[in-house]
Amino acid sequence: MKAIKYTIITGAAKGLGRAFATECARLGMNLILTALPGENIEVFARKLETGFRTKNHYYETDLTKPGSVEELATWISNSFCVNMLINNAGVGGTKAFLNVSTEYIDQIVLLNMRALVVLTRLLLPELRKNPRAYILNIASMASFGPMPYKTVYPASKAFVYSFSRGLSTELRETGIIVSVAHPGGMKTNPEVTRRIENHGRLIQSTTLPVEKVAKICIRKLMMGKKLIIPGTMNKLSWLLMKIIPVQLRLLLMKNSLKNELEIENSIINQNPVCNESIG
């Protein structure tokens, strides 16, 4: 079994992770897909296996739970040969910081930062066994600047950016390519779609389908690109963020995100049984 090469994708049951899995399977990559329990990842893995004739495995776990990342890494290292790791799993949300719970903060910090770093570290020995291997970490356009009413999320993604660029340089002579991707808004689920559609045309113009983002990221990763910003409008936004003073950006974002938060709260108050999701 160890002779077969595998690509690992975390958070593969939905959204961008699901698109990554489909794109990698289309390219003939064998997959190890992780997801939360109850997300039907087995059904998805078997569907890709049938459709693209790949060999797929799956693993259900909550990567924020103590010991879960270590158990996943041990299972992979003992059973498979891996040459690509896509750290896709992540969460975010829009809330006033005063109103967030410590559990909300832990979920973002443990998944977006700790799980990504620890899984990467534990699988590096396996990746180094290949003449060429790849690590793709998913950050966000939000990582390029602070954001009110999100606060923890962009900070966690700025960490992913910094970690990835540093690790890329450290591993330059090892044959391991480390890339970090910064997608903009994506309509990954009904809640996120509603948030995006509540913004103006400028914000909506930066959104891309998850399938297109996945294709761009995998192609750029295989080309050895260290920094990946999918979409022309997102590249333009990145350049503008370098020019516009931080304080002005914060004021502009505050008005937009405060409006988003007020709309979300209004919807929740009208439908109390609808829980606000993180992501």
Side-chain angles (χ1 to χ4, degrees), residues 177-197:
I177 302 296
V178 181
S179 300
V180 57
H182 299 265
M186 296 172 289
K187 296 179 179 180
T188 54
N189 60 53
E191 290 81 8
V192 174
T193 298
R194 187 173 65 242
R195 291 173 189 167
I196 291 172
E197 291 176 348

Side-chain angles (χ1 to χ4, degrees), residues 38 75 129 161 246 252 277:
W75 175 71
K129 293 176 182 178
Y161 167 76
V246 173
L252 292 172
S277 65

